[in-house]
Amino acid sequence: MVYQNRAVNLEVLTCYLLADISDEQLQAFKAAFELGNFARFSPMLSIKIVRPPEDYIGKSHEYIRRKEDEAGREQHFLILDDRAVKNDAVWYIKWFADDEPMDDGAESSDVLWKILVRTDKLGMVYVNYDIGNMSIQEDLDGCGVEFPVKAGYEQPKVYDLDMDMHKEQYRQPTWVRAEPHEFEYNKGGEKFGDYVAPPRTLARLKDEVAEAEGVLNDWVTPHPAGPLRMPNGKMKESPEGTMVLQLKINPEFPWPPFKWPSGSL
């Protein structure tokens, strides 16, 4: 049986809704987040949109961060305020400089590391910060923030990535574990540009299997499948001859809708 390993335990970031917005604007925000998060088939995180406590309204981001810390909620969070809504963006709130492992560039410990991010790029920013591919300091520098950063700094430009997230839907990889009866090897002699493939060096899913699994089929280099750790921690053994094929997800497949956390607006 074909198996695709998908994320099941997504981190949930709280998003405080400080702006007075219409339902249409809220739905537009959620749609932009879902698009950039590849939410239907390969989500990177989840967010829970909630009304803020009364004492957060009209207060600074620094005040809200301190209140979150006092309540023991030390996780990163999001803020959707008037400026964010106007710019199709959302504030990504991290920590004060003295709590930030990468605090280079802060003039004092009163600096709150935060960045206004285009909503459809939030998922990508989250992942890159999480794995250390990017830093908020580098991104703020690219947005015109002056260094060393002062407390209450202004961000002249919204952080964005030069990516068309509609096109990116068709570029998302998936690693498919296919048993021998579910894929086929090439016969040899196929041309890929200047390369002529020897026999049984490439493999692809059988067309009906690819269609049923929601992947875009192609000839790729197969790799023998070893044991796989399942979400419950147990190791799954595969039948002899099972191969791993790196293919791309078909965004036009009828994937189920993204499930927003319970209690989210």
Side-chain angles (χ1 to χ4, degrees):
M1 181 179 69
V2 165
Y3 179 79
Q4 298 182 65
N5 194 13
R6 302 193 185 282
V8 291
N9 296 315
L10 299 175
E11 182 173 9
V12 180
L13 298 185
T14 298
C15 178
Y16 289 116
L17 179 58
L18 298 180
D20 183 15
I21 62 175
S22 66
D23 183 65
E24 182 179 0
Q25 289 174 307
L26 178 60
Q27 296 309 316
F29 170 77
K30 294 172 72 172
F33 166 72
E34 288 191 15
L35 175 70
N37 193 40
F38 312 116
R40 292 180 302 123
F41 49 81
S42 188
M44 295 171 275
L45 81 157
S46 184
I47 64 176
K48 183 176 181 178
I49 307 170
V50 298
R51 301 286 181 186
E54 285 294 326
D55 66 322
Y56 284 15
I57 298 174
K59 297 298 196 304
S60 68
H61 296 168
E62 287 79 3
Y63 175 89
I64 296 173
R65 174 74 273 179
R66 289 190 178 95
K67 284 295 184 180
E68 290 290 291
D69 291 343
E70 290 172 8
R73 296 187 291 268
E74 299 178 352
Q75 185 184 31
H76 300 169
F77 61 92
L78 310 171
I79 288 178
L80 189 58
D81 60 13
D82 290 334
R83 184 185 174 193
V85 172
K86 183 179 179 180
N87 287 277
D88 298 322
V90 63
W91 288 100
Y92 188 104
I93 310 295
K94 296 191 76 178
W95 301 295
F96 284 102
D98 58 348
D99 295 324
E100 167 63 67
M102 297 288 292
D103 62 358
D104 293 342
E107 190 175 75
S108 74
S109 60
D110 291 328
V111 170
L112 173 63
W113 290 118
K114 62 177 184 175
I115 188 167
L116 186 60
V117 178
R118 198 75 69 191
T119 305
D120 66 349
K121 307 306 190 309
L122 176 61
M124 301 292 288
V125 168
Y126 164 81
V127 166
N128 280 298
Y129 287 172
D130 187 55
I131 63 178
N133 271 358
M134 297 162 24
S135 75
I136 193 170
Q137 289 84 1
E138 292 172 327
D139 293 339
L140 287 171
D141 185 46
C143 292
V145 175
E146 294 185 2
F147 279 72
V149 175
K150 297 178 174 60
Y153 63 87
E154 293 293 327
Q155 181 182 333
K157 292 168 48 182
V158 177
Y159 181 75
D160 203 351
L161 293 167
D162 186 18
M163 303 170 70
D164 183 330
M165 300 313 292
H166 290 281
K167 292 181 179 178
E168 289 298 320
Q169 305 293 303
Y170 292 87
R171 297 170 180 163
Q172 298 312 299
T174 183
W175 286 262
V176 179
R177 301 170 74 91
E179 297 177 14
H181 65 279
E182 296 169 323
F183 69 91
E184 58 186 352
Y185 286 107
N186 68 311
K187 296 179 180 179
E190 298 88 353
K191 291 185 177 181
F192 301 90
D194 295 331
Y195 174 70
V196 179
R200 297 180 66 84
T201 55
L202 302 174
R204 66 181 179 186
L205 292 177
K206 293 182 177 179
D207 287 339
E208 64 273 16
V209 175
E211 183 177 352
E213 291 296 321
V215 298
L216 300 172
N217 211 8
D218 199 3
W219 290 110
V220 295
T221 302
H223 299 280
L228 175 67
R229 185 177 297 279
M230 303 300 289
N232 61 8
K234 294 183 179 180
M235 300 302 294
K236 176 182 175 64
E237 296 290 342
S238 300
E240 185 176 353
T242 297
M243 291 289 173
V244 177
L245 311 180
Q246 183 180 339
L247 298 168
K248 289 184 173 60
I249 297 172
N250 181 5
E252 297 178 17
F253 184 78
W255 300 104
F258 178 66
K259 289 186 177 181
W260 286 78
S262 176
S264 179
L265 296 175

